Amino acid sequence: MLISLVAAIGQKREIGRDNQLLWRIREDLQNFKRLTLGHVILMGRKTYESIGRPLPGRTNVVLTRDAAYEAPGCTVVHSLDAAIAYAASLGETELFVCGGADLYAQALSVASRLYLSWIEATEPAADTYFPVWNPSQWRVELDVGFPAVEGTPAWHYQVLERRAF
Ligand SMILES: NC(=O)c1ccc[n+]([C@@H]2O[C@H](COP(=O)([O-])OP(=O)(O)OC[C@H]3O[C@@H](n4cnc5c(N)ncnc54)[C@H](OP(=O)(O)O)[C@@H]3O)[C@@H](O)[C@H]2O)c1
């Protein structure tokens, strides 16, 4: 089973502020939906709470250390290993780790693919960042640019494959 990280990141790897996303770019959100539909998506408890509901058409898995935590319509797990085992037990081919920063930092070492939407903006200010990765360990498989439109910044979409573990 492939483990992939999906994130929209700014020029300084920023991803969020006050437990919210920094940008909402329609094409990027549509692409995220296309990519993840039918798959298992894994998110940290804080990201789940910022969304506030399970994302439809996907098996939503929420990670928390709180044994009593409930997330209606989601599967709650208490370790990254348990999340990976759960997705594998469903016959999943690609597990999508959808944030936030805490989850990305832990899952990066076991991920084989990164789907990164690079938003060409330095605003708004952020309080949450995607982890640093070593570019020499990753090969850019796809890089597509999108111009700024209707008040949304330009961005480009990259798919990176890990060269080797
Ligand atoms: N730009 C993007 O693509 C993107 C995507 C997703 C999220 N975000 C942003 O990222 C921010 C949230 O990120 P965050 O780092 O603060 O929080 P997070 O990663 O969403 O959630 C962290 C929580 O997950 C649980 N957790 C983490 N590791 C665990 C482990 N190994 N075992 C059990 N539970 C574990 C803990 O929950 P408990 O405290 O309940 O134990 C922890 O407090 C928000 O601003 C959000 O909007 C951005």
Side-chain angles (χ1 to χ4, degrees):
M1 182 179 70
L2 200 58
I3 299 175
S4 301
L5 271 50
V6 194
I9 74 177
Q11 302 301 292
K12 298 174 184 157
R13 289 178 292 98
E14 59 270 45
I15 63 164
R17 182 185 176 88
D18 295 335
N19 209 30
Q20 296 296 322
L21 294 176
L22 296 171
W23 315 276
R24 290 184 186 277
I25 297 177
R26 195 164 54 93
E27 272 174 303
D28 183 38
L29 295 173
Q30 287 171 345
N31 183 59
F32 173 79
K33 186 172 183 180
R34 264 196 310 274
L35 187 66
T36 56
L37 268 180
H39 289 281
V40 178
I41 56 172
L42 172 64
M43 63 195 102
R45 190 263 308 161
K46 293 180 185 173
T47 292
Y48 166 70
E49 289 184 355
S50 86
I51 299 171
R53 61 185 171 90
L55 294 178
R58 286 147 278 194
T59 301
N60 289 242
V61 180
V62 178
L63 191 55
T64 175
R65 295 186 177 86
D66 178 352
Y69 193 77
E70 291 182 7
C74 303
T75 299
V76 177
V77 295
H78 304 292
S79 72
L80 183 58
D81 284 350
I84 293 169
Y86 175 67
S89 77
L90 299 178
E92 179 57 271
T93 53
E94 185 169 10
L95 167 64
F96 290 92
V97 178
C98 301
D102 195 356
L103 254 284
Y104 291 140
Q106 296 176 58
L108 181 62
S109 63
V110 292
S112 304
R113 188 177 288 168
L114 309 179
Y115 298 93
L116 298 178
S117 300
W118 288 94
I119 315 301
E120 294 174 18
T122 48
E123 295 289 331
D127 62 15
T128 318
Y129 294 82
F130 195 85
V132 176
W133 69 95
N134 182 346
S136 69
Q137 292 176 349
W138 297 85
R139 185 177 57 242
V140 178
E141 287 290 318
L142 182 73
D143 194 342
V144 187
F146 297 87
V149 278
E150 297 164 8
T152 59
W155 59 289
H156 66 114
Y157 177 64
Q158 277 192 341
V159 181
L160 288 79
E161 299 278 350
R162 186 186 284 281
R163 293 180 190 278
F165 275 101

